Amino acid sequence: MFVKPDYDCTKCERLCSFRNQNKQKFKTYHNGAVDSFGHLDSEVLVVGLAPGLNGANQTNRPFTNDYAGDILYPALKKAGLAKGNYQKRADDGFELLNVRVTNAVRCVPPQNKVTTDEIKNCRPFLIDEISNMPNLKIILALGQVAHNAVLGALGYKLSAFKFQHGQLYFLKEKGLWLLDSYHTSRYNINTGVLTSAMFDDIISKLVTNLN
Ligand code: URA
């Protein structure tokens, strides 16, 4: 059975209290655990960090109306992994093709920072995503938090798999590839850690590995 977090998931005290504050402040926002986006029969799973306050936490679609989505979604579309026009709304008709997108932590954290306990609390949902994707071939981890969360969910020790932008690991016991990328965050783009061209190269590597 596919298990996703309840809208009002209570596993993380800090995230619950932040959510309650946001419910007062941003009455039209989703303000709950954010659903994954894309079909479970996809071959690709993109794992991000957590919803942004005015982005996925507002729209209930990962990366939607978050700066990071402005890099992620056009790159997927350019590579033929999405169709429609990404317009930063959950009802924009934008569709992912052979890709599902989720987050290591499903609820918005204060200052975009998650704790180790919050990642652990949310792990069962990531495990469940992965085990309900029968055609899954490759997981794209956006940033080190996602990289660690994926390895934790799959039962691997982190020490054997250093996070490195562009690194592709074969997780042979699972028959899955793990591809690392710097997160498409505003900070990484503004500081030049990641450029759109570098991210396009990551998506090309992903596509090459699918074929
Ligand atoms: N929005 C998300 O849903 N996830 C991220 O990692 C960043 C922004």
Side-chain angles (χ1 to χ4, degrees), residues 46-81:
V46 177
V47 181
L49 171 62
L53 177 61
N54 301 301
N57 174 62
Q58 176 179 183
T59 61
N60 189 28
R61 198 175 74 179
F63 290 87
T64 300
N65 201 43
D66 279 314
Y67 180 89
D70 293 353
I71 307 296
L72 172 66
Y73 289 134
L76 291 177
K77 184 170 170 184
K78 202 163 155 187
L81 295 172

Side-chain angles (χ1 to χ4, degrees), residues 2 8 15-16 18 24 26 29 54 59 87 89 105 115 133 154 162 169 179 192 201 204:
F2 183 58
D8 261 328
L15 301 187
C16 275
F18 190 49
Q24 296 307 313
F26 306 108
Y29 283 19
N54 301 301
T59 61
Q87 290 175 308
R89 302 187 322 265
V105 172
T115 67
M133 293 186 69
L154 292 171
K162 195 174 173 298
Y169 290 107
L179 175 60
D201 289 345
S204 300

Side-chain angles (χ1 to χ4, degrees), residues 18-211:
F18 190 49
R19 181 197 300 144
N20 290 334
Q21 292 168 32
N22 291 331
K23 280 185 177 174
Q24 296 307 313
K25 251 178 154 165
F26 306 108
K27 297 210 188 297
T28 61
Y29 283 19
H30 170 69
N31 292 318
V34 171
D35 291 334
S36 302
F37 177 36
H39 297 287
L40 281 168
D41 62 1
S42 303
E43 293 176 302
V44 179
L45 179 65
V46 177
V47 181
L49 171 62
L53 177 61
N54 301 301
N57 174 62
Q58 176 179 183
T59 61
N60 189 28
R61 198 175 74 179
F63 290 87
T64 300
N65 201 43
D66 279 314
Y67 180 89
D70 293 353
I71 307 296
L72 172 66
Y73 289 134
L76 291 177
K77 184 170 170 184
K78 202 163 155 187
L81 295 172
K83 68 176 185 186
N85 289 322
Y86 169 62
Q87 290 175 308
K88 309 183 189 210
R89 302 187 322 265
D91 65 353
D92 56 10
F94 185 67
E95 244 185 274
L96 298 177
L97 304 172
N98 205 18
V99 176
R100 187 165 164 92
V101 179
T102 194
N103 280 309
V105 172
R106 304 294 182 94
C107 295
V108 59
Q111 271 94 47
N112 290 327
K113 298 240 179 329
V114 297
T115 67
T116 315
D117 281 349
E118 287 157 3
I119 296 167
K120 279 202 189 125
N121 291 343
C122 224
R123 183 180 286 167
F125 305 120
L126 186 54
I127 293 174
D128 224 59
E129 283 288 326
I130 295 171
S131 51
N132 279 282
M133 293 186 69
N135 305 318
L136 184 60
K137 280 192 182 161
I138 180 160
I139 301 176
L140 172 61
L142 297 184
Q144 177 141 27
V145 171
H147 165 96
N148 290 353
V150 168
L151 290 169
L154 292 171
Y156 284 93
K157 286 222 165 72
L158 301 186
S159 50
F161 304 91
K162 195 174 173 298
F163 172 78
Q164 209 180 323
H165 178 78
Q167 179 72 50
L168 189 60
Y169 290 107
F170 186 58
L171 308 173
K172 74 172 182 309
E173 295 75 10
K174 304 285 172 186
L176 293 174
W177 294 92
L178 171 64
L179 175 60
D180 284 344
S181 170
Y182 293 132
H183 194 284
T184 57
S185 65
R186 188 194 297 272
Y187 180 82
N188 283 346
I189 300 290
N190 284 350
T191 54
V193 167
L194 182 71
T195 62
S196 289
M198 281 166 71
F199 193 65
D200 285 346
D201 289 345
I202 290 286
I203 300 297
S204 300
K205 195 163 186 169
L206 185 150
V207 170
T208 306
N209 227 65
L210 270 183
N211 300 318

